[in-house]
């Protein structure tokens, strides 16, 4: 825990309460209100946690006003350009960039855990073929606690480590199998001579009748998408994982909870919703109509892939994603992709519009990722599962950090109660 630096004074009527303050290594100071109820008999009120720090953490830092995202201090742009997903995973999990030997050992460990228990295949077969792959992932990942009993004891450090590696290693296999199941194709088993991203592409696109030769540019783009989604501080799904874990739940149950939360269109589900929106717009001449709808208070429509709770400037992940979209489409010879044209024109018109400028709404990570994923051959229903597999390492890193925190308490918010006060039960014949 940080050192107390100064004191905030809160005056309620004629009573003044001193509240300790802590300074982070970077970012705004925080006021510690843990003893507030005991001292003053009041709660704080912050639906949506817009001004509340729920924990201390050393993993990821975001300065939303400046558009900065750091993992363990390293800017996301540098990591996306110079590093790769498994190296960034090591960094998130253990705090520092690995030495060559450490990286080799870590990659070998992850690679050796890519297969799933054969019995789990039958579990997949219990789902309807038309199930959304996210529904399958929530179920299958939750069910891992029924298949891997030997890594569910959260008080055993070795078991925690095994669960972490299993989740990171098996998530691509599970996501690919969820996809294969919904399109009625046989499952493709992992191949350990391939890197993490290439293996995932092959498990999605190979068939027994014909192997899939991985294009290194596509595999690099896939790896970059994983890297850009690896962690993002205390977002909704990560906070869900932490809350689930605070009760002592096992790691597979906690990650399943995170996947469920990520699915929503305000969070990870935005990548699917964004591409569907771009297709619905169809041609640049229809953009003004959709911008007008997004601005209309009486219309629930929002520009998907726009806006962020924390970023009030360019999302640095979106900048890299846009570049990557250009590269991938050029490689595939589809630079004139109509969806990309609509996306670029929509971004331009929205950024010039005072509504979006005043509210500081910029394209987020989900704005361009769908275009790349579609060009690679993924259907929109696979976009959020890909986000989930990439975010798994972030969830796991935050989960491990929480379990090592001596201040760990069960998460239990309070409320502003606006319901009835106590009243007596009325017998049914008198109502
Ligand atoms: N289109 C139109 N108006 C918007 C949008 C948008 N995409 N986003 C926010 N606004 C408006 C909103 O109506 C509100 O206006 P007012 O102050 O007049 O009521 C104002 O901007 C602030 O919005 P908010 O909903 O209070 O902000 P929030 O921090 O609670 O929500 C958000 C953040 C990401 C949920 C929201 O911007 C949104 O719904 N965006 C579209 C969905 C999306 O792209 N989500 C992906 C987020 S990035 C990846 C991830 O986290 O998974």
């Amino acid at each position: 825990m940080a050192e107390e630096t100064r004191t905030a004074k809160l005056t309620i009527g004629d009573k003044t309460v001193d509240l300790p303050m802590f300074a982070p290594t970077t970012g705004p100071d925080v006021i510690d209100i843990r003893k507030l109820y005991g001292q003053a008999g009041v709660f704080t009120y912050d639906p949506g946690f817009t001004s509340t720090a729920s924990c201390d953490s050393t993993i990821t830092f975001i300065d939303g006003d400046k558009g900065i995202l750091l993992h363990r201090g390293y800017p996301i742009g540098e990591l996306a350009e110079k590093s790769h997903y498994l190296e960034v995973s090591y960094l998130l999990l253990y705090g520092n960039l690995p030495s060559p030997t450490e990286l080799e050992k870590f990659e070998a460990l992850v690679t050796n855990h890519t297969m799933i228990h054969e019995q789990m295949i039958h579990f997949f077969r219990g789902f309807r073929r038309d199930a959304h792959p996210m529904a399958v992932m929530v179920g299958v990942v939750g069910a891992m606690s029924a298949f891997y009993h030997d890594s569910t004891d959260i008080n055993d450090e070795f078991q925690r480590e095994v669960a972490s590696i299993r989740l990171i290693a098996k998530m691509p296999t599970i996501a690919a199998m969820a996809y294969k199941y919904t399109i009625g194709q046989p499952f493709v088993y992992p191949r350990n001579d391939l890197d993490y991203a290439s293996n995932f592409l092959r498990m999605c696109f190979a068939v027994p009748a014909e192997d899939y030769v991985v294009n290194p540019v596509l595999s690099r783009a896939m790896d970059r998408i994983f890297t850009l989604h690896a962690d993002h501080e205390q977002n909704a799904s990560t906070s869900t994982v932490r809350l689930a874990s605070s009760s002592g739940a096992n790691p597979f149950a906690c990650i399943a909870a995170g996947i469920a939360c990520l699915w929503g269109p305000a969070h990870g589900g935005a990548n699917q919703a964004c591409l569907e929106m771009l297709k619905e717009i169809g041609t640049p001449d229809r953009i003004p109509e959709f911008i007008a709808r997004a601005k209309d208070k009486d219309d629930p429509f929002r520009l998907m892939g726009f806006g962020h709770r924390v970023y009030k400037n360019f999302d640095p992940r979106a900048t890299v994603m846009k570049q990557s979209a250009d590269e991938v489409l050029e490689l595939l010879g589809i630079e004139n992709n109509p969806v990309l044209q609509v996306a670029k024109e929509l971004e331009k018109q929205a950024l010039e519009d005072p509504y979006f400028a005043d509210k500081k709404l910029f394209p987020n990570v989900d704005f361009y990722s769908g275009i790349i994923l579609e060009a690679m051959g993924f259907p929109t229903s696979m976009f959020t599962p890909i986000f989930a597999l990439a975010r798994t390492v972030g969830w796991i890193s935050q989960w491990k950090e929480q379990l090592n925190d001596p201040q760990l308490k069960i998460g239990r918010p309070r409320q502003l109660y606006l319901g009835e006060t106590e009243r007596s039960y009325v017998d049914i014949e008198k109502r």
Side-chain angles (χ1 to χ4, degrees), residues 266-268 270 297 302-303 305-306 308-309 355 359 364 366:
H267 194 8
K297 281 272 154 260
R302 285 186 168 199
L303 276 194
F306 252 81
H308 198 274
R309 167 61 61 78
Y355 173 93
K359 294 186 191 302
N364 59 49
D366 293 319

Side-chain angles (χ1 to χ4, degrees), residues 50 232 235 262 264-271 274 294-295 297 301-310 312 315 317 355-356 359 361 364-366 387 391:
T50 52
H232 212 228
N235 57 82
L262 185 79
H267 194 8
N271 52 15
C274 180
K295 288 158 55 175
K297 281 272 154 260
F301 174 77
R302 285 186 168 199
L303 276 194
M304 299 315 287
F306 252 81
H308 198 274
R309 167 61 61 78
V310 182
K312 302 300 167 200
D315 177 341
R317 302 168 301 170
Y355 173 93
F356 293 89
K359 294 186 191 302
L361 301 169
N364 59 49
V365 69
D366 293 319
F387 191 157
R391 181 56 56 85

Side-chain angles (χ1 to χ4, degrees), residues 10-78:
L10 176 69
T11 304
I12 309 165
D14 54 5
K15 191 171 182 184
T16 298
V17 184
D18 285 342
L19 298 167
M21 291 185 70
F22 300 114
T25 46
T26 177
D29 288 0
V30 301
I31 303 172
D32 180 355
I33 55 160
R34 283 175 292 178
K35 300 211 170 103
L36 181 63
Y37 179 63
Q39 287 175 344
V42 296
F43 297 139
T44 56
Y45 180 60
D46 186 16
F49 307 113
T50 52
S51 298
T52 297
S54 59
C55 60
D56 53 77
S57 179
T58 60
I59 302 172
T60 292
F61 172 76
I62 302 173
D63 183 331
D65 295 323
K66 296 194 184 124
I68 291 172
L69 167 61
L70 310 176
H71 291 321
R72 304 284 191 186
Y74 297 100
I76 190 66
E78 275 189 50

Side-chain angles (χ1 to χ4, degrees), residues 16-332:
T16 298
V17 184
D18 285 342
L19 298 167
M21 291 185 70
F22 300 114
T25 46
T26 177
D29 288 0
V30 301
I31 303 172
D32 180 355
I33 55 160
R34 283 175 292 178
K35 300 211 170 103
L36 181 63
Y37 179 63
Q39 287 175 344
V42 296
F43 297 139
T44 56
Y45 180 60
D46 186 16
F49 307 113
T50 52
S51 298
T52 297
S54 59
C55 60
D56 53 77
S57 179
T58 60
I59 302 172
T60 292
F61 172 76
I62 302 173
D63 183 331
D65 295 323
K66 296 194 184 124
I68 291 172
L69 167 61
L70 310 176
H71 291 321
R72 304 284 191 186
Y74 297 100
I76 190 66
E78 275 189 50
L79 293 173
E81 191 196 338
K82 298 179 184 164
S83 184
H84 58 89
Y85 182 69
L86 282 187
E87 186 176 69
V88 172
S89 297
Y90 185 100
L91 173 70
L92 290 167
L93 284 165
Y94 306 113
N96 283 303
L97 287 169
S99 69
T101 326
E102 285 166 337
L103 182 61
E104 200 182 317
K105 267 175 73 180
F106 179 68
E107 287 181 334
L109 195 60
V110 171
T111 306
N112 283 325
H113 279 85
T114 49
M115 277 171 61
I116 59 168
H117 193 293
E118 192 63 13
Q119 186 67 19
M120 285 181 87
I121 307 268
H122 301 295
F123 192 76
F124 274 93
R125 298 210 163 105
F127 289 98
R128 283 171 53 141
R129 291 273 179 191
D130 59 358
H132 194 289
M134 279 300 272
V136 177
M137 284 191 74
V138 175
V140 173
V141 173
M144 283 176 81
S145 45
F147 290 94
Y148 300 103
H149 307 136
D150 57 345
S151 52
T152 52
D153 180 356
I154 57 159
N155 298 313
D156 179 331
E157 204 165 324
F158 178 72
Q159 292 202 25
R160 294 209 294 248
E161 191 61 23
V162 174
S164 307
I165 298 296
R166 278 183 170 150
L167 277 158
I168 295 162
K170 296 183 199 309
M171 204 59 91
T173 315
I174 292 170
M177 285 184 168
Y179 172 51
K180 286 297 200 192
Y181 186 74
T182 61
I183 55 168
Q185 286 187 3
F187 297 133
V188 175
Y189 286 73
R191 243 185 49 195
N192 287 355
D193 58 323
L194 294 176
D195 63 73
Y196 195 84
S198 305
N199 190 33
F200 175 65
L201 287 171
R202 187 182 162 276
M203 285 191 288
C204 288
F205 298 123
V207 286
E210 198 175 317
D211 204 6
Y212 173 81
V213 182
V214 184
N215 180 323
V217 178
L218 292 190
S219 143
R220 176 78 189 119
M222 187 80 256
D223 188 88
R224 194 175 283 165
I225 288 179
F226 291 162
T227 301
L228 292 173
H229 287 90
D231 190 47
H232 212 228
E233 208 230 59
Q234 310 310 322
N235 57 82
S237 57
T238 302
S239 298
T240 301
V241 170
R242 280 187 179 257
L243 197 56
S245 147
S246 75
S247 73
N250 76 67
F252 306 109
C254 296
I255 301 305
I259 297 172
C261 176
L262 185 79
W263 194 0
H267 194 8
N271 52 15
Q272 172 170 355
C274 180
L275 198 85
E276 287 166 358
M277 174 195 77
L278 294 172
K279 285 188 168 170
E280 195 192 339
I281 297 175
T283 46
D285 58 300
R286 296 194 61 208
I287 290 171
E289 177 198 326
F290 281 79
I291 289 191
R293 282 187 61 198
K295 288 158 55 175
D296 181 356
K297 281 272 154 260
D298 299 325
D299 188 332
F301 174 77
R302 285 186 168 199
L303 276 194
M304 299 315 287
F306 252 81
H308 198 274
R309 167 61 61 78
V310 182
Y311 293 118
K312 302 300 167 200
N313 200 324
F314 272 94
D315 177 341
R317 302 168 301 170
T319 314
V320 182
M321 205 67 92
K322 186 177 180 180
Q323 249 175 23
S324 214
D326 281 331
E327 278 167 29
V328 169
L329 296 191
E330 191 190 326
L331 171 92
L332 298 174

